[in-house]
């Protein structure tokens, strides 16, 4: 009878072979396309309305690096989920908080999958933290009820970068701990 180490080694090699075969099959499957999600429009209070207007999809910014990453454009108020081949798999408009990260390279640090209360008092989910500034954590998230963020009270600092619920779910799936985040102007 073979020693237990041989059994463990055999099972491990078999499991790795199965995972590799499944990965090859998955890579041959259909790939998601970048979406032209709506861009939030400014209301008379200079805060996004609940009814974003349609905007044409835009290309991944040239100055956003290479490889698998989340790209956040401060000026366009837009996020791209970019795969390892530098193809945008999804893009969507966001509602930034009052505290913005500086342009640069970051990494997803922690994530919170359970609903929590955001700095604006709204219940949020799919929270993906990647930076801090002015004492505020900066994170991507979406409201549990799918609403756009309310206008912040005067002088309130918020670090949440909000998105529609479907976009929040996609970013949550894509933005695992350690994922690169590139913030551009």
């Amino acid at each position: 009878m073979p020693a237990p180490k041989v059994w463990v080694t055999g099972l491990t090699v078999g499991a790795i072979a199965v995972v590799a075969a499944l990965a090859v099959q998955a890579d041959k499957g259909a790939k998601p396309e970048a979406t032209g999600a709506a861009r939030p429009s400014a209301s008379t209070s200079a805060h996004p309305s609940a009814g974003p207007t349609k905007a044409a999809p835009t290309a991944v910014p040239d100055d956003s690096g290479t490889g698998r990453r989340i790209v956040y454009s401060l000026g366009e108020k837009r996020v791209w989920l970019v795969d390892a081949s530098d193809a945008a798999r999804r893009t969507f408009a966001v509602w930034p908080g009052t505290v913005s990260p500086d342009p640069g390279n970051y990494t997803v640090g922690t994530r919170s999958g359970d609903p929590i209360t955001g700095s604006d008092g709204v219940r949020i989910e799919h929270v993906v933290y990647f930076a801090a500034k002015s004492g505020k954590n900066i994170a991507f998230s979406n409201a549990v009820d799918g609403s756009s963020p309310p206008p912040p009270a005067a002088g309130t600092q918020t670090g949440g970068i909000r998105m529609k619920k479907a976009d929040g779910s996609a970013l949550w799936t894509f933005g695992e701990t350690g994922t690169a985040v590139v913030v551009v102007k």
Side-chain angles (χ1 to χ4, degrees):
M1 182 168 173
K5 289 181 184 176
V6 173
W7 279 99
V8 171
T9 302
L11 289 173
T12 303
V13 169
I16 291 171
V18 168
V19 169
L22 290 173
V24 169
Q25 282 182 324
D27 192 47
K28 292 180 182 177
K31 306 279 191 288
E33 297 291 324
T35 63
R39 175 186 298 269
S41 62
S43 67
T44 55
S45 65
H47 195 77
S49 68
T53 58
K54 296 283 183 191
T58 59
V60 177
D62 290 334
D63 57 348
S64 69
T66 60
R68 188 176 187 282
R69 65 200 183 279
I70 298 168
V71 177
Y72 172 42
S73 170
L74 298 168
E76 290 191 45
K77 298 178 185 170
R78 177 167 291 278
V79 167
W80 291 262
L81 306 180
V82 183
D83 69 16
S85 69
D86 289 324
R89 292 298 170 197
R90 186 178 185 109
T91 184
F92 47 89
V94 297
W95 294 284
T98 61
V99 178
S100 295
D102 292 325
N105 296 314
Y106 301 88
T107 302
V108 171
T110 59
R111 299 167 10 121
S112 177
D114 295 327
I116 61 172
T117 301
S119 54
D120 58 0
V122 173
R123 296 289 290 166
I124 58 174
E125 63 185 354
H126 300 128
V127 185
V128 177
Y129 297 94
F130 68 93
K133 184 177 176 185
S134 301
K136 291 291 175 191
N137 289 320
I138 300 177
F140 299 109
S141 65
N142 64 269
V144 171
D145 66 5
S147 64
S148 63
T156 301
Q157 291 189 326
T158 59
I161 301 163
R162 296 283 171 76
M163 58 205 64
K164 291 182 176 185
K165 193 170 181 96
D167 297 328
S169 180
L171 191 138
W172 172 261
T173 300
F174 187 88
E176 301 163 340
T177 300
T179 299
V181 178
V182 180
V183 178
V184 297
K185 292 181 182 179

